[in-house]
mmCIF file of all heavy atoms in Angstrom:
data_model
loop_
_atom_site.group_PDB
_atom_site.id
_atom_site.type_symbol
_atom_site.label_atom_id
_atom_site.label_comp_id
_atom_site.label_asym_id
_atom_site.label_seq_id
_atom_site.Cartn_x
_atom_site.Cartn_y
_atom_site.Cartn_z
ATOM 1 N N MET A 238 -8.181 77.886 155.130
ATOM 2 C CA MET A 238 -8.718 78.433 153.901
ATOM 3 C C MET A 238 -8.565 77.429 152.770
ATOM 4 O O MET A 238 -7.550 76.755 152.650
ATOM 5 C CB MET A 238 -8.055 79.782 153.609
ATOM 6 C CG MET A 238 -6.744 79.724 152.890
ATOM 7 S SD MET A 238 -7.020 80.180 151.193
ATOM 8 C CE MET A 238 -5.341 80.194 150.599
ATOM 9 N N ALA A 239 -9.578 77.345 151.968
ATOM 10 C CA ALA A 239 -9.635 76.258 151.006
ATOM 11 C C ALA A 239 -9.475 76.711 149.561
ATOM 12 O O ALA A 239 -9.485 75.897 148.661
ATOM 13 C CB ALA A 239 -10.958 75.513 151.147
ATOM 14 N N VAL A 240 -9.320 78.010 149.378
ATOM 15 C CA VAL A 240 -9.160 78.476 148.009
ATOM 16 C C VAL A 240 -7.746 78.154 147.529
ATOM 17 O O VAL A 240 -6.770 78.397 148.220
ATOM 18 C CB VAL A 240 -9.432 79.988 147.904
ATOM 19 C CG1 VAL A 240 -9.232 80.467 146.484
ATOM 20 C CG2 VAL A 240 -10.848 80.305 148.368
ATOM 21 N N ASP A 241 -7.657 77.613 146.360
ATOM 22 C CA ASP A 241 -6.388 77.213 145.772
ATOM 23 C C ASP A 241 -5.444 78.417 145.625
ATOM 24 O O ASP A 241 -5.796 79.398 144.977
ATOM 25 C CB ASP A 241 -6.696 76.615 144.387
ATOM 26 C CG ASP A 241 -5.462 75.997 143.745
ATOM 27 O OD1 ASP A 241 -4.336 76.336 144.159
ATOM 28 O OD2 ASP A 241 -5.644 75.177 142.848
ATOM 29 N N PRO A 242 -4.260 78.351 146.218
ATOM 30 C CA PRO A 242 -3.314 79.481 146.111
ATOM 31 C C PRO A 242 -2.962 79.835 144.669
ATOM 32 O O PRO A 242 -2.738 80.997 144.355
ATOM 33 C CB PRO A 242 -2.073 78.985 146.862
ATOM 34 C CG PRO A 242 -2.559 77.912 147.761
ATOM 35 C CD PRO A 242 -3.732 77.281 147.065
ATOM 36 N N GLU A 243 -2.932 78.845 143.819
ATOM 37 C CA GLU A 243 -2.626 79.136 142.412
ATOM 38 C C GLU A 243 -3.765 79.909 141.752
ATOM 39 O O GLU A 243 -3.551 80.729 140.867
ATOM 40 C CB GLU A 243 -2.354 77.841 141.645
ATOM 41 C CG GLU A 243 -1.002 77.254 142.002
ATOM 42 C CD GLU A 243 -0.648 76.056 141.138
ATOM 43 O OE1 GLU A 243 -1.237 75.894 140.053
ATOM 44 O OE2 GLU A 243 0.220 75.285 141.569
ATOM 45 N N LEU A 244 -4.976 79.612 142.223
ATOM 46 C CA LEU A 244 -6.126 80.358 141.716
ATOM 47 C C LEU A 244 -6.048 81.803 142.197
ATOM 48 O O LEU A 244 -6.292 82.742 141.431
ATOM 49 C CB LEU A 244 -7.424 79.697 142.205
ATOM 50 C CG LEU A 244 -8.731 80.369 141.792
ATOM 51 C CD1 LEU A 244 -8.906 80.392 140.278
ATOM 52 C CD2 LEU A 244 -9.913 79.671 142.433
ATOM 53 N N LEU A 245 -5.674 81.986 143.449
ATOM 54 C CA LEU A 245 -5.555 83.338 144.000
ATOM 55 C C LEU A 245 -4.568 84.168 143.190
ATOM 56 O O LEU A 245 -4.755 85.369 143.010
ATOM 57 C CB LEU A 245 -5.099 83.282 145.460
ATOM 58 C CG LEU A 245 -6.117 82.753 146.474
ATOM 59 C CD1 LEU A 245 -5.511 82.769 147.870
ATOM 60 C CD2 LEU A 245 -7.400 83.557 146.448
ATOM 61 N N ASP A 246 -3.510 83.523 142.718
ATOM 62 C CA ASP A 246 -2.495 84.238 141.951
ATOM 63 C C ASP A 246 -3.040 84.857 140.683
ATOM 64 O O ASP A 246 -2.551 85.883 140.235
ATOM 65 C CB ASP A 246 -1.349 83.286 141.575
ATOM 66 C CG ASP A 246 -0.369 83.113 142.716
ATOM 67 O OD1 ASP A 246 -0.459 83.873 143.699
ATOM 68 O OD2 ASP A 246 0.491 82.230 142.614
ATOM 69 N N ILE A 247 -4.037 84.227 140.099
ATOM 70 C CA ILE A 247 -4.510 84.725 138.813
ATOM 71 C C ILE A 247 -5.774 85.569 138.930
ATOM 72 O O ILE A 247 -6.205 86.168 137.962
ATOM 73 C CB ILE A 247 -4.755 83.574 137.805
ATOM 74 C CG1 ILE A 247 -5.797 82.594 138.329
ATOM 75 C CG2 ILE A 247 -3.445 82.853 137.503
ATOM 76 C CD1 ILE A 247 -6.286 81.617 137.278
ATOM 77 N N LEU A 248 -6.338 85.627 140.132
ATOM 78 C CA LEU A 248 -7.551 86.423 140.301
ATOM 79 C C LEU A 248 -7.218 87.912 140.349
ATOM 80 O O LEU A 248 -6.292 88.321 141.034
ATOM 81 C CB LEU A 248 -8.270 86.030 141.594
ATOM 82 C CG LEU A 248 -8.969 84.679 141.569
ATOM 83 C CD1 LEU A 248 -9.526 84.372 142.953
ATOM 84 C CD2 LEU A 248 -10.070 84.649 140.540
ATOM 85 N N VAL A 249 -7.980 88.688 139.624
ATOM 86 C CA VAL A 249 -7.798 90.136 139.650
ATOM 87 C C VAL A 249 -9.135 90.812 139.904
ATOM 88 O O VAL A 249 -10.202 90.248 139.639
ATOM 89 C CB VAL A 249 -7.206 90.671 138.324
ATOM 90 C CG1 VAL A 249 -5.811 90.103 138.097
ATOM 91 C CG2 VAL A 249 -8.121 90.361 137.143
ATOM 92 N N CYS A 250 -9.064 92.004 140.429
ATOM 93 C CA CYS A 250 -10.260 92.820 140.592
ATOM 94 C C CYS A 250 -10.836 93.103 139.203
ATOM 95 O O CYS A 250 -10.112 93.560 138.318
ATOM 96 C CB CYS A 250 -9.885 94.124 141.293
ATOM 97 S SG CYS A 250 -11.233 95.302 141.369
ATOM 98 N N PRO A 251 -12.109 92.832 138.991
ATOM 99 C CA PRO A 251 -12.692 93.047 137.659
ATOM 100 C C PRO A 251 -12.747 94.523 137.271
ATOM 101 O O PRO A 251 -12.848 94.853 136.097
ATOM 102 C CB PRO A 251 -14.101 92.451 137.775
ATOM 103 C CG PRO A 251 -14.389 92.374 139.237
ATOM 104 C CD PRO A 251 -13.066 92.240 139.928
ATOM 105 N N LEU A 252 -12.633 95.374 138.270
ATOM 106 C CA LEU A 252 -12.690 96.811 138.008
ATOM 107 C C LEU A 252 -11.297 97.359 137.696
ATOM 108 O O LEU A 252 -11.108 98.068 136.718
ATOM 109 C CB LEU A 252 -13.269 97.510 139.238
ATOM 110 C CG LEU A 252 -13.741 98.950 139.068
ATOM 111 C CD1 LEU A 252 -14.933 99.022 138.126
ATOM 112 C CD2 LEU A 252 -14.091 99.537 140.420
ATOM 113 N N CYS A 253 -10.328 97.024 138.543
ATOM 114 C CA CYS A 253 -8.986 97.620 138.452
ATOM 115 C C CYS A 253 -7.991 96.759 137.688
ATOM 116 O O CYS A 253 -6.923 97.244 137.330
ATOM 117 C CB CYS A 253 -8.417 97.859 139.849
ATOM 118 S SG CYS A 253 -9.563 98.627 140.987
ATOM 119 N N LYS A 254 -8.305 95.500 137.524
ATOM 120 C CA LYS A 254 -7.392 94.557 136.860
ATOM 121 C C LYS A 254 -6.082 94.396 137.617
ATOM 122 O O LYS A 254 -5.032 94.174 137.013
ATOM 123 C CB LYS A 254 -7.095 94.973 135.399
ATOM 124 C CG LYS A 254 -8.313 95.355 134.593
ATOM 125 C CD LYS A 254 -9.271 94.216 134.389
ATOM 126 C CE LYS A 254 -10.416 94.623 133.478
ATOM 127 N NZ LYS A 254 -11.564 93.716 133.554
ATOM 128 N N VAL A 255 -6.137 94.533 138.925
ATOM 129 C CA VAL A 255 -4.958 94.259 139.748
ATOM 130 C C VAL A 255 -5.261 93.051 140.622
ATOM 131 O O VAL A 255 -6.424 92.741 140.899
ATOM 132 C CB VAL A 255 -4.556 95.472 140.625
ATOM 133 C CG1 VAL A 255 -4.205 96.673 139.748
ATOM 134 C CG2 VAL A 255 -5.653 95.830 141.611
ATOM 135 N N SER A 256 -4.204 92.372 141.065
ATOM 136 C CA SER A 256 -4.427 91.151 141.830
ATOM 137 C C SER A 256 -5.024 91.469 143.195
ATOM 138 O O SER A 256 -4.771 92.531 143.774
ATOM 139 C CB SER A 256 -3.142 90.354 141.965
ATOM 140 O OG SER A 256 -2.174 91.105 142.634
ATOM 141 N N VAL A 257 -5.821 90.551 143.697
ATOM 142 C CA VAL A 257 -6.487 90.732 144.986
ATOM 143 C C VAL A 257 -5.795 89.867 146.035
ATOM 144 O O VAL A 257 -5.135 88.885 145.712
ATOM 145 C CB VAL A 257 -7.984 90.363 144.889
ATOM 146 C CG1 VAL A 257 -8.735 91.378 144.037
ATOM 147 C CG2 VAL A 257 -8.180 88.956 144.330
ATOM 148 N N LYS A 258 -5.969 90.273 147.294
ATOM 149 C CA LYS A 258 -5.348 89.546 148.397
ATOM 150 C C LYS A 258 -6.415 88.997 149.331
ATOM 151 O O LYS A 258 -7.421 89.651 149.605
ATOM 152 C CB LYS A 258 -4.442 90.500 149.184
ATOM 153 C CG LYS A 258 -3.169 90.870 148.441
ATOM 154 C CD LYS A 258 -1.957 90.423 149.244
ATOM 155 C CE LYS A 258 -0.713 90.322 148.380
ATOM 156 N NZ LYS A 258 -0.342 91.591 147.764
ATOM 157 N N LEU A 259 -6.138 87.820 149.851
ATOM 158 C CA LEU A 259 -7.042 87.217 150.814
ATOM 159 C C LEU A 259 -7.123 88.090 152.071
ATOM 160 O O LEU A 259 -6.102 88.572 152.562
ATOM 161 C CB LEU A 259 -6.512 85.825 151.165
ATOM 162 C CG LEU A 259 -7.477 84.825 151.793
ATOM 163 C CD1 LEU A 259 -8.571 84.434 150.805
ATOM 164 C CD2 LEU A 259 -6.720 83.597 152.246
ATOM 165 N N THR A 260 -8.329 88.277 152.581
ATOM 166 C CA THR A 260 -8.490 89.044 153.817
ATOM 167 C C THR A 260 -7.995 88.207 155.001
ATOM 168 O O THR A 260 -7.939 86.981 154.903
ATOM 169 C CB THR A 260 -9.960 89.430 154.039
ATOM 170 O OG1 THR A 260 -10.748 88.242 154.038
ATOM 171 C CG2 THR A 260 -10.462 90.366 152.952
ATOM 172 N N PRO A 261 -7.646 88.865 156.122
ATOM 173 C CA PRO A 261 -7.118 88.122 157.284
ATOM 174 C C PRO A 261 -8.065 87.024 157.774
ATOM 175 O O PRO A 261 -7.603 85.980 158.262
ATOM 176 C CB PRO A 261 -6.948 89.215 158.353
ATOM 177 C CG PRO A 261 -6.754 90.477 157.569
ATOM 178 C CD PRO A 261 -7.606 90.317 156.339
ATOM 179 N N ASP A 262 -9.365 87.240 157.670
ATOM 180 C CA ASP A 262 -10.314 86.208 158.118
ATOM 181 C C ASP A 262 -10.526 85.113 157.067
ATOM 182 O O ASP A 262 -11.231 84.137 157.312
ATOM 183 C CB ASP A 262 -11.646 86.835 158.540
ATOM 184 C CG ASP A 262 -12.346 87.580 157.406
ATOM 185 O OD1 ASP A 262 -11.936 87.419 156.233
ATOM 186 O OD2 ASP A 262 -13.314 88.303 157.684
ATOM 187 N N GLY A 263 -9.933 85.294 155.894
ATOM 188 C CA GLY A 263 -10.023 84.281 154.861
ATOM 189 C C GLY A 263 -11.381 84.172 154.191
ATOM 190 O O GLY A 263 -11.646 83.228 153.459
ATOM 191 N N GLU A 264 -12.221 85.175 154.421
ATOM 192 C CA GLU A 264 -13.580 85.088 153.887
ATOM 193 C C GLU A 264 -13.826 86.009 152.711
ATOM 194 O O GLU A 264 -14.951 86.147 152.238
ATOM 195 C CB GLU A 264 -14.591 85.380 155.002
ATOM 196 C CG GLU A 264 -14.549 84.287 156.048
ATOM 197 C CD GLU A 264 -15.621 84.452 157.114
ATOM 198 O OE1 GLU A 264 -16.276 85.502 157.147
ATOM 199 O OE2 GLU A 264 -15.782 83.509 157.896
ATOM 200 N N GLY A 265 -12.769 86.647 152.254
ATOM 201 C CA GLY A 265 -12.948 87.545 151.132
ATOM 202 C C GLY A 265 -11.626 87.823 150.447
ATOM 203 O O GLY A 265 -10.557 87.446 150.920
ATOM 204 N N LEU A 266 -11.720 88.477 149.311
ATOM 205 C CA LEU A 266 -10.539 88.857 148.548
ATOM 206 C C LEU A 266 -10.587 90.361 148.351
ATOM 207 O O LEU A 266 -11.556 90.898 147.810
ATOM 208 C CB LEU A 266 -10.529 88.139 147.199
ATOM 209 C CG LEU A 266 -10.349 86.627 147.294
ATOM 210 C CD1 LEU A 266 -10.678 85.987 145.957
ATOM 211 C CD2 LEU A 266 -8.932 86.271 147.701
ATOM 212 N N LYS A 267 -9.529 91.022 148.783
ATOM 213 C CA LYS A 267 -9.548 92.476 148.775
ATOM 214 C C LYS A 267 -8.665 93.059 147.690
ATOM 215 O O LYS A 267 -7.530 92.622 147.490
ATOM 216 C CB LYS A 267 -9.096 92.998 150.143
ATOM 217 C CG LYS A 267 -9.177 94.515 150.245
ATOM 218 C CD LYS A 267 -9.047 94.973 151.663
ATOM 219 C CE LYS A 267 -9.334 96.479 151.736
ATOM 220 N NZ LYS A 267 -9.360 96.960 153.107
ATOM 221 N N CYS A 268 -9.213 94.074 147.038
ATOM 222 C CA CYS A 268 -8.453 94.838 146.057
ATOM 223 C C CYS A 268 -7.855 96.047 146.761
ATOM 224 O O CYS A 268 -8.578 96.826 147.379
ATOM 225 C CB CYS A 268 -9.379 95.284 144.921
ATOM 226 S SG CYS A 268 -8.582 96.418 143.774
ATOM 227 N N ALA A 269 -6.536 96.186 146.696
ATOM 228 C CA ALA A 269 -5.858 97.285 147.393
ATOM 229 C C ALA A 269 -6.136 98.622 146.721
ATOM 230 O O ALA A 269 -5.980 99.666 147.324
ATOM 231 C CB ALA A 269 -4.356 97.032 147.436
ATOM 232 N N GLN A 270 -6.546 98.570 145.484
ATOM 233 C CA GLN A 270 -6.723 99.811 144.738
ATOM 234 C C GLN A 270 -8.078 100.467 145.003
ATOM 235 O O GLN A 270 -8.161 101.642 145.308
ATOM 236 C CB GLN A 270 -6.559 99.520 143.250
ATOM 237 C CG GLN A 270 -6.330 100.766 142.418
ATOM 238 C CD GLN A 270 -5.486 100.462 141.200
ATOM 239 O OE1 GLN A 270 -4.483 99.745 141.265
ATOM 240 N NE2 GLN A 270 -5.914 100.982 140.064
ATOM 241 N N CYS A 271 -9.173 99.695 144.899
ATOM 242 C CA CYS A 271 -10.509 100.279 145.082
ATOM 243 C C CYS A 271 -11.114 99.890 146.426
ATOM 244 O O CYS A 271 -12.224 100.301 146.738
ATOM 245 C CB CYS A 271 -11.437 99.870 143.938
ATOM 246 S SG CYS A 271 -11.804 98.107 143.857
ATOM 247 N N HIS A 272 -10.400 99.086 147.208
ATOM 248 C CA HIS A 272 -10.829 98.666 148.549
ATOM 249 C C HIS A 272 -12.092 97.805 148.539
ATOM 250 O O HIS A 272 -12.778 97.690 149.551
ATOM 251 C CB HIS A 272 -11.026 99.880 149.476
ATOM 252 C CG HIS A 272 -9.788 100.701 149.625
ATOM 253 N ND1 HIS A 272 -8.683 100.272 150.311
ATOM 254 C CD2 HIS A 272 -9.482 101.925 149.129
ATOM 255 C CE1 HIS A 272 -7.745 101.215 150.248
ATOM 256 N NE2 HIS A 272 -8.200 102.220 149.521
ATOM 257 N N ARG A 273 -12.418 97.236 147.403
ATOM 258 C CA ARG A 273 -13.545 96.310 147.372
ATOM 259 C C ARG A 273 -13.109 94.949 147.907
ATOM 260 O O ARG A 273 -11.990 94.512 147.658
ATOM 261 C CB ARG A 273 -14.090 96.154 145.959
ATOM 262 C CG ARG A 273 -15.015 97.286 145.555
ATOM 263 C CD ARG A 273 -15.456 97.153 144.110
ATOM 264 N NE ARG A 273 -16.446 98.188 143.811
ATOM 265 C CZ ARG A 273 -16.138 99.463 143.553
ATOM 266 N NH1 ARG A 273 -14.879 99.843 143.527
ATOM 267 N NH2 ARG A 273 -17.085 100.342 143.307
ATOM 268 N N VAL A 274 -14.020 94.315 148.643
ATOM 269 C CA VAL A 274 -13.767 92.956 149.123
ATOM 270 C C VAL A 274 -14.775 92.040 148.449
ATOM 271 O O VAL A 274 -15.991 92.204 148.594
ATOM 272 C CB VAL A 274 -13.897 92.864 150.655
ATOM 273 C CG1 VAL A 274 -13.753 91.413 151.110
ATOM 274 C CG2 VAL A 274 -12.839 93.730 151.332
ATOM 275 N N TYR A 275 -14.236 91.092 147.692
ATOM 276 C CA TYR A 275 -15.081 90.125 146.985
ATOM 277 C C TYR A 275 -15.291 88.913 147.882
ATOM 278 O O TYR A 275 -14.335 88.397 148.461
ATOM 279 C CB TYR A 275 -14.416 89.730 145.663
ATOM 280 C CG TYR A 275 -14.279 90.917 144.748
ATOM 281 C CD1 TYR A 275 -13.133 91.709 144.783
ATOM 282 C CD2 TYR A 275 -15.317 91.288 143.908
ATOM 283 C CE1 TYR A 275 -13.017 92.847 143.986
ATOM 284 C CE2 TYR A 275 -15.216 92.417 143.109
ATOM 285 C CZ TYR A 275 -14.067 93.189 143.154
ATOM 286 O OH TYR A 275 -13.967 94.319 142.372
ATOM 287 N N PRO A 276 -16.524 88.468 148.018
ATOM 288 C CA PRO A 276 -16.802 87.351 148.929
ATOM 289 C C PRO A 276 -16.334 86.008 148.377
ATOM 290 O O PRO A 276 -16.186 85.838 147.161
ATOM 291 C CB PRO A 276 -18.334 87.377 149.043
ATOM 292 C CG PRO A 276 -18.818 87.976 147.768
ATOM 293 C CD PRO A 276 -17.754 88.962 147.346
ATOM 294 N N ILE A 277 -16.088 85.084 149.285
ATOM 295 C CA ILE A 277 -15.794 83.697 148.892
ATOM 296 C C ILE A 277 -16.951 82.850 149.406
ATOM 297 O O ILE A 277 -17.214 82.823 150.607
ATOM 298 C CB ILE A 277 -14.461 83.214 149.492
ATOM 299 C CG1 ILE A 277 -13.314 84.071 148.958
ATOM 300 C CG2 ILE A 277 -14.228 81.741 149.138
ATOM 301 C CD1 ILE A 277 -11.975 83.778 149.627
ATOM 302 N N ARG A 278 -17.642 82.209 148.494
ATOM 303 C CA ARG A 278 -18.796 81.392 148.869
ATOM 304 C C ARG A 278 -18.543 79.942 148.481
ATOM 305 O O ARG A 278 -18.279 79.656 147.317
ATOM 306 C CB ARG A 278 -20.060 81.899 148.159
ATOM 307 C CG ARG A 278 -20.415 83.309 148.574
ATOM 308 C CD ARG A 278 -21.872 83.630 148.314
ATOM 309 N NE ARG A 278 -22.098 85.042 148.627
ATOM 310 C CZ ARG A 278 -22.390 85.979 147.717
ATOM 311 N NH1 ARG A 278 -22.572 85.647 146.468
ATOM 312 N NH2 ARG A 278 -22.538 87.222 148.080
ATOM 313 N N ASP A 279 -18.640 79.070 149.478
ATOM 314 C CA ASP A 279 -18.391 77.644 149.228
ATOM 315 C C ASP A 279 -17.036 77.449 148.547
ATOM 316 O O ASP A 279 -16.908 76.664 147.600
ATOM 317 C CB ASP A 279 -19.509 77.031 148.376
ATOM 318 C CG ASP A 279 -20.859 77.108 149.073
ATOM 319 O OD1 ASP A 279 -20.889 77.015 150.315
ATOM 320 O OD2 ASP A 279 -21.872 77.278 148.382
ATOM 321 N N ASP A 280 -16.035 78.201 149.024
ATOM 322 C CA ASP A 280 -14.666 78.135 148.506
ATOM 323 C C ASP A 280 -14.516 78.671 147.089
ATOM 324 O O ASP A 280 -13.472 78.496 146.469
ATOM 325 C CB ASP A 280 -14.112 76.706 148.570
ATOM 326 C CG ASP A 280 -14.106 76.172 149.998
ATOM 327 O OD1 ASP A 280 -14.001 76.995 150.928
ATOM 328 O OD2 ASP A 280 -14.197 74.950 150.171
ATOM 329 N N ILE A 281 -15.559 79.309 146.584
ATOM 330 C CA ILE A 281 -15.479 79.879 145.238
ATOM 331 C C ILE A 281 -15.445 81.402 145.352
ATOM 332 O O ILE A 281 -16.382 82.011 145.865
ATOM 333 C CB ILE A 281 -16.719 79.485 144.386
ATOM 334 C CG1 ILE A 281 -16.963 77.978 144.423
ATOM 335 C CG2 ILE A 281 -16.573 80.013 142.969
ATOM 336 C CD1 ILE A 281 -15.936 77.150 143.710
ATOM 337 N N PRO A 282 -14.365 82.013 144.892
ATOM 338 C CA PRO A 282 -14.315 83.478 144.910
ATOM 339 C C PRO A 282 -15.347 84.076 143.946
ATOM 340 O O PRO A 282 -15.460 83.634 142.800
ATOM 341 C CB PRO A 282 -12.894 83.799 144.431
ATOM 342 C CG PRO A 282 -12.126 82.524 144.584
ATOM 343 C CD PRO A 282 -13.126 81.421 144.394
ATOM 344 N N VAL A 283 -16.111 85.033 144.447
ATOM 345 C CA VAL A 283 -17.135 85.679 143.627
ATOM 346 C C VAL A 283 -16.594 87.028 143.176
ATOM 347 O O VAL A 283 -16.642 88.014 143.895
ATOM 348 C CB VAL A 283 -18.452 85.857 144.418
ATOM 349 C CG1 VAL A 283 -19.519 86.500 143.544
ATOM 350 C CG2 VAL A 283 -18.940 84.516 144.955
ATOM 351 N N MET A 284 -16.036 87.046 141.967
ATOM 352 C CA MET A 284 -15.380 88.251 141.473
ATOM 353 C C MET A 284 -16.351 89.104 140.674
ATOM 354 O O MET A 284 -16.184 89.327 139.477
ATOM 355 C CB MET A 284 -14.159 87.872 140.620
ATOM 356 C CG MET A 284 -13.169 86.965 141.327
ATOM 357 S SD MET A 284 -12.605 87.627 142.898
ATOM 358 C CE MET A 284 -11.599 89.005 142.324
ATOM 359 N N LEU A 285 -17.379 89.579 141.357
ATOM 360 C CA LEU A 285 -18.391 90.405 140.713
ATOM 361 C C LEU A 285 -18.465 91.737 141.456
ATOM 362 O O LEU A 285 -18.597 91.767 142.683
ATOM 363 C CB LEU A 285 -19.756 89.717 140.759
ATOM 364 C CG LEU A 285 -19.866 88.385 140.011
ATOM 365 C CD1 LEU A 285 -21.210 87.737 140.297
ATOM 366 C CD2 LEU A 285 -19.698 88.601 138.512
ATOM 367 N N ILE A 286 -18.416 92.822 140.706
ATOM 368 C CA ILE A 286 -18.449 94.147 141.318
ATOM 369 C C ILE A 286 -19.722 94.320 142.137
ATOM 370 O O ILE A 286 -19.701 94.878 143.227
ATOM 371 C CB ILE A 286 -18.328 95.232 140.214
ATOM 372 C CG1 ILE A 286 -16.938 95.177 139.586
ATOM 373 C CG2 ILE A 286 -18.598 96.619 140.798
ATOM 374 C CD1 ILE A 286 -16.816 95.965 138.304
ATOM 375 N N ASP A 287 -20.829 93.818 141.634
ATOM 376 C CA ASP A 287 -22.112 93.961 142.340
ATOM 377 C C ASP A 287 -22.143 93.219 143.667
ATOM 378 O O ASP A 287 -22.935 93.547 144.545
ATOM 379 C CB ASP A 287 -23.256 93.435 141.463
ATOM 380 C CG ASP A 287 -23.575 94.371 140.319
ATOM 381 O OD1 ASP A 287 -23.080 95.518 140.336
ATOM 382 O OD2 ASP A 287 -24.320 93.970 139.413
ATOM 383 N N GLU A 288 -21.305 92.206 143.823
ATOM 384 C CA GLU A 288 -21.296 91.395 145.045
ATOM 385 C C GLU A 288 -20.281 91.904 146.065
ATOM 386 O O GLU A 288 -20.281 91.486 147.215
ATOM 387 C CB GLU A 288 -20.948 89.943 144.711
ATOM 388 C CG GLU A 288 -21.929 89.261 143.779
ATOM 389 C CD GLU A 288 -23.236 88.911 144.483
ATOM 390 O OE1 GLU A 288 -23.213 88.622 145.684
ATOM 391 O OE2 GLU A 288 -24.282 88.973 143.805
ATOM 392 N N ALA A 289 -19.395 92.789 145.635
ATOM 393 C CA ALA A 289 -18.328 93.247 146.515
ATOM 394 C C ALA A 289 -18.826 94.308 147.479
ATOM 395 O O ALA A 289 -19.770 95.047 147.190
ATOM 396 C CB ALA A 289 -17.182 93.803 145.678
ATOM 397 N N ARG A 290 -18.181 94.359 148.643
ATOM 398 C CA ARG A 290 -18.440 95.475 149.554
ATOM 399 C C ARG A 290 -17.155 96.302 149.633
ATOM 400 O O ARG A 290 -16.066 95.784 149.407
ATOM 401 C CB ARG A 290 -18.882 94.971 150.922
ATOM 402 C CG ARG A 290 -17.817 94.180 151.654
ATOM 403 C CD ARG A 290 -18.344 93.691 152.999
ATOM 404 N NE ARG A 290 -17.239 93.223 153.838
ATOM 405 C CZ ARG A 290 -16.718 92.008 153.800
ATOM 406 N NH1 ARG A 290 -17.196 91.119 152.947
ATOM 407 N NH2 ARG A 290 -15.720 91.670 154.583
ATOM 408 N N ILE A 291 -17.318 97.560 149.954
ATOM 409 C CA ILE A 291 -16.153 98.443 150.005
ATOM 410 C C ILE A 291 -15.734 98.626 151.453
ATOM 411 O O ILE A 291 -16.538 98.994 152.296
ATOM 412 C CB ILE A 291 -16.455 99.797 149.342
ATOM 413 C CG1 ILE A 291 -16.769 99.572 147.862
ATOM 414 C CG2 ILE A 291 -15.273 100.750 149.492
ATOM 415 C CD1 ILE A 291 -17.178 100.826 147.113
ATOM 416 N N GLU A 292 -14.467 98.324 151.704
ATOM 417 C CA GLU A 292 -13.897 98.463 153.044
ATOM 418 C C GLU A 292 -12.780 99.479 153.001
ATOM 419 O O GLU A 292 -12.008 99.519 152.057
ATOM 420 C CB GLU A 292 -13.300 97.121 153.506
ATOM 421 C CG GLU A 292 -14.260 96.249 154.257
ATOM 422 C CD GLU A 292 -13.559 94.986 154.765
ATOM 423 O OE1 GLU A 292 -12.340 94.905 154.688
ATOM 424 O OE2 GLU A 292 -14.285 94.104 155.225
ATOM 425 N N GLU A 293 -12.705 100.276 154.050
ATOM 426 C CA GLU A 293 -11.592 101.240 154.114
ATOM 427 C C GLU A 293 -10.367 100.600 154.719
ATOM 428 O O GLU A 293 -10.438 99.659 155.454
ATOM 429 C CB GLU A 293 -12.010 102.466 154.925
ATOM 430 C CG GLU A 293 -13.059 103.289 154.187
ATOM 431 C CD GLU A 293 -12.639 103.646 152.741
ATOM 432 O OE1 GLU A 293 -11.458 104.012 152.532
ATOM 433 O OE2 GLU A 293 -13.464 103.539 151.846
HETATM 434 ZN ZN1 ZN B 260 -10.342 97.101 142.490
#
């Protein structure tokens, strides 16, 4: 995974304002509160509600 760990520390869900966690496959960032997974494209986390998918 190529996303900077320090960047991950400061990323928050734009909806809940809580920190997100990298998914096991390393291809998304998940919010534990609303269960949205934000995609990572070209190593850039896309923190947009419209781009997120909801996972249970
Ligand atoms: Zn959230």
Side-chain angles (χ1 to χ4, degrees):
M238 85 104 175
V240 179
D241 187 341
E243 286 186 19
L244 179 62
L245 289 180
D246 278 349
I247 60 168
L248 287 175
V249 297
C250 173
L252 195 66
C253 314
K254 313 296 185 197
V255 299
S256 61
V257 291
K258 288 241 160 60
L259 199 66
T260 56
D262 61 13
E264 294 185 350
L266 293 167
K267 184 167 188 174
C268 172
Q270 196 150 316
C271 65
H272 301 290
R273 279 176 174 79
V274 175
Y275 297 90
I277 298 173
R278 297 201 185 112
D279 298 327
D280 301 332
I281 309 291
V283 181
M284 305 305 290
L285 297 173
I286 292 167
D287 287 348
E288 299 286 328
R290 65 181 194 275
I291 297 176
E292 269 184 10
E293 291 308 318

